[in-house]
């Protein structure tokens, strides 16, 4: 369970490689898994946007966000290590690469001071601009991104190697909350992808549902 997306990817990789043995396989995996029953990571962010947007007290919003962590993220996080092990075994059995390098994740919540900031205009619904408040951004950083990267680092025990390029370090000063962000905001993404397509980095559909 939870590995359903991996076999098609391995089949595609096998078709690309043919009889060749890869020296290095680089992959990024884990972020979408944490969306759990909500779907991918974009839907998870949409949930936090809804929590930030729907009228409530700060304490009520924090409670709602932490309930998402407890009921959705934590169970998915608890399954990730076994998923990594299963994937590692599948890669070894099918491809026998010399190295598997797993990249870690940038902290999109960071602002100019490299601490979680308000994520303004992360999504748009027509002329309406939506965001994630600073307290909810802090919860995302503390309870999702940092634990996920810690789990990736732990995979060194599986003889995997975290990429030498430190992805979070490369994004310092350029998180979504920064004035020099490497991430598109909702308006920019809509202009690039079209208003009816997926908005980077979130799928806006669940926000409609939450606000309805």
């Amino acid at each position: 369970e939870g590995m359903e997306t991996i076999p098609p990817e391995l089949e595609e990789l096998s078709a690309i490689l043919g009889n060749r043995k890869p020296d290095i396989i680089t992959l990024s995996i884990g972020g979408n898994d944490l969306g759990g029953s909500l779907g991918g990571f974009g839907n998870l962010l949409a949930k936090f946007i809804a929590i930030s947007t729907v009228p409530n007290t700060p304490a009520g919003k924090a409670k709602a966000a932490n309930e998402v962590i407890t009921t959705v993220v934590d169970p998915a996080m608890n399954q990730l290590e076994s998923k990594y092990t299963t994937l590692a075994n599948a890669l070894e059995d099918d491809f026998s690469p010399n190295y598997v390098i797993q990249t870690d994740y940038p902290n999109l919540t960071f602002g100019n001071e490299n601490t979680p900031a308000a994520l303004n205009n992360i999504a748009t619904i027509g002329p309406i601009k939506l965001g994630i408040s600073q307290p909810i951004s802090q919860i995302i950083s503390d309870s999702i991104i940092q634990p996920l990267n810690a789990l990736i680092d732990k995979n060194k025990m599986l003889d995997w190697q975290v990429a030498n390029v430190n992805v979070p370090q490369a994004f310092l000063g350029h998180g979504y909350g920064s004035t020099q962000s490497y991430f598109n905001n909702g308006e920019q993404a809509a202009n690039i992808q079209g208003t009816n397509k997926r908005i980077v980095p979130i799928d806006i559909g669940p926000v409609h549902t939450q606000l309805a």
Side-chain angles (χ1 to χ4, degrees):
E1 183 179 354
M3 294 294 291
E4 293 139 350
T5 60
I6 292 177
E9 294 174 354
L10 294 185
E11 290 173 6
E12 184 176 354
L13 180 59
S14 179
I16 293 171
L17 289 174
N19 294 324
R20 294 174 296 167
K21 174 185 174 181
D23 291 322
I24 300 173
I25 292 178
T26 303
L27 56 85
S28 175
I29 183 172
N32 276 332
D33 293 83
L34 298 186
S37 59
L38 297 177
F41 187 72
N43 291 347
L44 185 61
L45 282 184
K47 185 74 172 178
F48 290 120
I49 289 173
I51 290 170
S52 293
T53 305
V54 172
N56 200 345
T57 65
K61 292 184 178 185
K63 180 181 178 181
N66 282 313
E67 284 177 353
V68 173
I69 298 299
T70 302
T71 60
V72 177
V73 176
D74 287 349
M77 189 82 72
N78 290 336
Q79 295 179 18
L80 263 183
E81 189 164 2
S82 64
K83 291 182 181 181
Y84 288 150
T85 302
T86 301
L87 176 59
N89 291 335
L91 290 173
E92 178 61 31
D93 292 343
D94 295 345
F95 304 104
S96 299
N98 292 327
Y99 299 97
V100 176
I101 300 177
Q102 184 180 11
T103 60
D104 40 12
Y105 285 82
N107 196 324
L108 82 164
T109 71
F110 279 2
N112 292 332
E113 302 300 321
N114 294 319
T115 56
L119 309 181
N120 299 316
N121 189 20
I122 199 170
T124 58
I125 300 178
I128 302 173
K129 298 178 181 180
L130 303 173
I132 293 175
S133 66
Q134 191 283 327
I136 305 302
S137 177
Q138 183 78 54
I139 291 172
I140 293 171
S141 177
D142 292 347
S143 300
I144 299 178
I145 299 175
Q146 293 185 48
L148 176 59
N149 281 339
L151 187 59
I152 290 171
D153 288 338
K154 187 178 179 181
N155 278 322
K156 293 178 181 178
M157 294 188 301
L158 302 176
D159 294 327
W160 287 15
Q161 296 187 14
V162 176
N164 290 331
V165 176
N166 189 320
V167 175
Q169 182 69 32
F171 274 77
L172 288 181
H174 303 285
Y176 185 87
S178 167
T179 54
Q180 296 182 329
S181 174
Y182 285 165
F183 296 88
N184 288 327
N185 63 30
E187 189 173 10
Q188 292 166 334
N191 290 334
I192 294 169
Q193 296 180 313
T195 56
N196 294 324
K197 295 186 178 180
R198 189 163 188 239
I199 304 302
V200 176
I202 64 165
D203 185 341
I204 201 60
V207 178
H208 281 287
T209 302
Q210 292 295 323
L211 294 181

